[in-house]
Amino acid sequence: MRSPLYLFFLLVFFLFSAVPALAQPTYTLSGYVRNSANNEVLLGATVAVPALNIGTITDEKGFYSLQLPKGTHTLQATYVGFDTLSRTLTVTAAQRMNLLLEPATTTLQEVEVQASTLQQRLNDTRMSVETLTSQEAKLLPALFGEVDLVKTLQLKPGVQSGGEGSSGLYVRGGGPDQNLVLLDEALVYNPSHLFGFFSVFNPDAVKSVELYKGGFPAQYGGRLSSVVDVAMQDGNQEQLGITGGLGLISSRLTVDGPIGKDKANFVVSGRRTYIDLFTRQLNRLMEDKEDYNPIPDYYFYDLNGKVSYKLGDRDNLYVSGYYGNDIFGFSDAGFKFGFNWGNRMATLRWRHKFSDRLYATTSLGTTVYQYTIKNTIDAFSLRLTSNIRDYTFTTDFDLYLSGGHSIKFGAMGTRHHFTVGRLNFEADDESQNFGAGNNYDATQFGAYLSDDYQVNARLSLNYGLRLSGFNNSGKTYFALEPRLSAKYALSESASVKASYADMMQYVHLLSNSGASLPTDIWYPSTPFVRPQRSRQVALGYSKVLGRGKYLFTNEVYYKWMHHQIDFRDGANLFVNDSLENEFLFGKGQSYGSEFYLEKMKGKTTGWIGYTLSWTYRRFDEINEGRRFPTRYDRRHDLSLVLLRQLGKRLQLTGAFTYGTGNAYSVPVARFAFQDVEGRDPTVVPIFTDRNSFRLAAAHRLDLGLVYKLRPKRGQADLTFSVYNVYNRRNPYFVYFDQVKEEETGAILGFQAKQVSLFPTIPSVTYNFKF
């Protein structure tokens, strides 16, 4: 275990030792990047000096800061949808320079602008980061034509899905609960619709998504494996706009525009499935048939909203919100079953400019996740609920100093309220009423300090420290979480990067199934349940190839995980007032290598990603203390994504995926014994090591065709997609069916049977914007 850490710190020591030899005087160049059409700041614009291999991206206020040596340089500023701006300047002292970008007028220009992000990613100090825009996600073929940003992230190396159709993320050996998912700074506990098949993120409401797989900045905390930072779309400042789409299972509509003149803007976005409209009508038509089994009711919807208000030259106010629900229902002859779950989030943010060097962002937010199961049989009703409610205060400061330092510091506090498995059973005559379950109130807090330091033209560092804590039931935990990332430019086209991250997790998702379900329970750390911890080191190499057309990266990582939680065999998860007695605690490890080749210029673009990895857990009470692979341990994971421009109005897209089958446990033998004479014998399965078998490998090809229409006003297209082109029956799970003798009914044996979800599914979606 010491060897990877030793090599990592030896590398960092070498980089620091090289600083004096490479150091030379630098001067700060800073300013804002704005849209020349309406003077709006541009978040995420690239500002770089390609000849020096130096670059950065603008922050949420459109501000950039570079450290440049003395001399004459050519500065370039780029942003998707805008023409590239080039400017020659002579640096002899620190100076300010604001940049105005002109909106691009053709699609070709937009494609050329995107290619610049390859060089920016090479220069970025951060490593293990994937960035995705909703525009990119909409081009890829999708299940039922429903575009999903999270599913697109699953096509990146180091990120795996939980199985066929799942929108869960398993990042570098971590479980779905070990991902910190944020929507405009609000925490999302369950980012899935339809039992995990679709995510809650409406692509029309989302501007961009950043996924951190390692090297986490110090401002993020509370999870072990990844950070998914989702930014909502801003409203149009100039005119009213409408965007939407009609799909096979859902429709969506987004309206945005200004409020007043140059003061405020808004965006409202909604989406709803409508399968239930057809199933209800079919149930009505068939209700008189005796052998007809009604189809359950199911639909989901979500609503996003955001208002941005300019209070003055130094102050801006933002209000963001999300409301979403999944609703499942079934009723027949005195029996009713209802199941609904959903998220509610709201955030109020205030951004203040103290000076050109110091900014502050203060936010108040609330998050609610809950599910409710209702079951009514004649005069008896049962209600099972579980929820978590958070109130969060956060303040962050950005300080830009001379000498190449960009400082971030801040603090946060969250008040949690947990309802764990609350059961209520009632009779109409009140003869039988009882309840069970636990409630917890806990407080989580943290403070951090980090520095993004551009040492010189070759070396840049990002280092920081986070202090985190958690209090519940009289027990308080504290932890220091150091973070470090380093980038060293080998040349104008190649760089090496390294990172170390220490992460704590104080809230845990409890599940006794292999899949992540809405009925899983969030449980806080207690005096008995210690927080989880992970330490991860990573080393990467990046190179731009083919005159700027391709970016190749290779990252290797090793992650140690402590205080991992599992359950005893036969554990009762629901309505258990002594749930902690069912817990087991152990260790985990994950390591692997990720290869990535991306092309973003020309008529054919796309990427190839391949991951070779191992993920294990070890518990004293399981497998006699021997380590075992987790369910989502996947030795080989391959994705190939291609986009081909066939003409000005036609684009072909395709995605192929291959993955080693999930690990699972099956009985290797069974024995039968006769406990009651005259009854069938009781059959008991015999298991060996946990997860010692593998499902068949899963692979699939999806194709799509985007045809741009020519409406009289605005933009429109038809997107045709085919999910699972060659009808691969990928395994979802395996069960064992009894094989009986026809005449006597005696059990002769057991036969394994595979359940698959989706055959070939064609779909069409009409998208519009005006």
Side-chain angles (χ1 to χ4, degrees), residues 36 101 120 161 206 280 377 444 507 518 524 570 586 612 628 725 734:
S36 64
L101 300 189
Q120 185 272 324
S161 67
V206 171
R280 289 175 188 175
I377 303 177
Q444 186 171 345
V507 180
L612 174 67
F628 60 91
V725 171
V734 170

Side-chain angles (χ1 to χ4, degrees), residues 152-166:
T152 306
L153 290 176
Q154 292 174 355
L155 298 173
K156 300 292 185 176
V159 184
Q160 302 170 4
S161 67
E164 182 80 0
S166 172

Side-chain angles (χ1 to χ4, degrees), residues 657-670:
T657 59
Y658 173 91
T660 302
N662 289 340
Y664 73 115
S665 302
V666 296
V668 295
R670 289 176 170 83

Side-chain angles (χ1 to χ4, degrees), residues 29-33 58 61-65 95-99:
L29 173 69
S30 60
Y32 294 89
V33 180
T58 56
K61 295 166 285 292
F63 185 80
Y64 76 93
S65 179
Q95 59 180 289
R96 296 295 301 272
M97 180 179 291
N98 296 326
L99 306 173

Side-chain angles (χ1 to χ4, degrees), residues 122 308 318 407 652 745:
L122 178 74
S308 307
Y318 305 89
I407 308 295
L652 178 67

Side-chain angles (χ1 to χ4, degrees), residues 511-512 564-571 582-588 616-631 664-665 687-692:
S511 173
N512 58 4
Q564 300 298 285
I565 300 177
D566 208 320
F567 288 97
R568 302 182 186 278
D569 292 335
E582 309 284 1
F583 294 169
L584 300 176
F585 302 96
K587 299 179 180 180
Y616 297 102
R617 295 288 189 271
R618 187 192 300 272
F619 295 83
D620 292 338
E621 299 87 349
I622 300 176
N623 284 0
E624 299 179 347
R626 297 186 304 273
R627 73 177 188 178
F628 60 91
T630 64
R631 178 179 182 271
Y664 73 115
S665 302
F687 290 87
T688 56
D689 288 354
R690 180 175 291 196
N691 293 342
S692 56

Side-chain angles (χ1 to χ4, degrees), residues 361-426:
T361 302
T362 302
S363 64
L364 294 171
T366 180
T367 296
V368 178
Y369 169 66
Q370 64 180 9
Y371 71 78
T372 302
I373 299 175
K374 299 178 181 179
N375 194 356
T376 302
I377 303 177
D378 297 327
F380 299 93
S381 63
L382 179 146
R383 180 187 178 96
L384 177 65
T385 62
S386 183
N387 67 63
I388 178 170
R389 182 185 300 271
D390 291 349
Y391 299 96
T392 301
F393 170 81
T394 304
T395 182
D396 301 287
F397 294 86
D398 294 274
L399 176 62
Y400 301 93
L401 301 178
S402 59
H405 295 274
S406 298
I407 308 295
K408 289 182 70 72
F409 59 96
M412 60 78 64
T414 299
R415 184 63 174 171
H416 300 285
H417 177 75
F418 299 86
T419 299
V420 180
R422 174 64 60 184
L423 174 71
N424 293 287
F425 181 82
E426 299 178 353

